[in-house]
Amino acid sequence: MTDVTRLVIFGRQGAGKGTQCDRIVGHYGVIHLSTGDMFRAAVAAGTDMGKQVEPIMQSGGLVPDEMTIGIVRDRLAQSDVESKGFVLDGFPRTPGQAEALVEMLGDDKLTAVINLDVPLDEVTARMKGRGREDDTNESIAKRLALYEEETVPTIDWFAERGMVVNVDGLGTEDEVAERIFSAIERSG
Ligand code: ADP
């Protein structure tokens, strides 16, 4: 189906991705797919995967690609996601994950790849007030460093294929949401 909206959103920790994903869900009726939420649910449920990923998440490291690609593949194959579309949040964040995503989508093209851009000094200040369990100073620093090392090359991977739209993430929630919606309309 060509009319299904399929989105990927990039943005540094603290860029406001979670908030904007809620807005996108409200506007387009797509399903929010956050690998961070999926892993936190696995940890909370005490599954085998949860036990494996818990120490990795606590330290701010990246879960191995194989495991991450596996949970996304399973979720994308479910009928609600196939019929309503999705906004992927926190995946892909390595070039290997990006390749796997494009391969698993096959003929189902992405509607847009959004890069919600907020500078490093601004997100560092915002993160300090957030209070999530893995938001220790070391973990934040490690996650932001990994973003530059792994995720920026992933954004570049999509940019080389002409698929990225940059959206300025500074401003009110409404302003940023409007910019995202118009970027999606332009891409779709
Ligand atoms: P953040 O963007 O602050 O890192 P997330 O909720 O997206 O928060 O992810 C929380 C943690 O889950 C990450 O620090 C990482 O350990 C793991 N994780 C989430 N998505 C991925 C992914 N695509 N690849 C590897 N690890 C991931």
Side-chain angles (χ1 to χ4, degrees):
M1 268 168 69
T2 50
D3 55 345
V4 172
T5 304
R6 299 183 195 87
L7 305 168
V8 171
I9 186 163
F10 286 106
R12 290 192 176 85
Q13 290 77 6
K17 244 183 329 146
T19 308
Q20 294 302 331
C21 281
D22 291 345
R23 307 290 289 255
I24 290 169
V25 167
H27 200 265
Y28 293 96
V30 292
I31 294 179
H32 181 207
L33 298 182
S34 155
T35 41
D37 286 352
M38 292 180 203
F39 288 137
R40 277 184 288 276
V43 171
T47 64
D48 284 346
M49 188 181 71
K51 291 189 180 106
Q52 288 182 59
V53 302
E54 187 170 19
I56 302 173
M57 293 176 76
Q58 280 299 335
S59 74
L62 288 180
V63 174
D65 274 0
E66 200 184 273
M67 200 182 292
T68 308
I69 291 164
I71 59 162
V72 173
R73 177 177 280 120
D74 290 350
R75 191 68 186 90
L76 286 180
Q78 287 166 5
S79 60
D80 57 337
V81 174
E82 285 191 338
S83 61
K84 293 183 179 170
F86 58 80
V87 55
L88 265 174
D89 164 12
F91 181 93
R93 63 174 91 179
T94 65
Q97 292 178 12
E99 280 178 42
L101 174 64
V102 167
E103 194 190 295
M104 65 180 108
L105 286 175
D107 291 336
D108 293 340
K109 298 288 170 241
L110 289 168
T111 311
V113 176
I114 300 151
N115 179 27
L116 184 61
D117 193 27
V118 177
L120 204 50
D121 53 352
E122 171 69 19
V123 296
T124 308
R126 289 187 190 179
M127 294 275 286
K128 300 226 158 97
R130 211 165 70 162
R132 212 170 70 187
E133 207 191 319
D134 58 354
D135 276 354
T136 61
N137 284 343
E138 300 89 281
S139 168
I140 292 172
K142 183 163 176 188
R143 272 144 58 213
L144 284 169
L146 273 173
Y147 191 88
E148 303 308 312
E149 281 166 33
E150 295 285 352
T151 306
V152 170
T154 310
I155 301 171
D156 292 343
W157 188 93
F158 283 108
E160 283 160 16
R161 288 157 181 78
M163 294 170 76
V164 176
V165 282
N166 288 304
V167 172
D168 178 3
L170 292 178
T172 66
E173 283 178 27
D174 283 346
E175 284 165 352
V176 176
E178 282 308 321
R179 285 179 205 141
I180 291 174
F181 298 159
S182 65
I184 293 170
E185 301 311 319
R186 272 183 277 126
S187 310

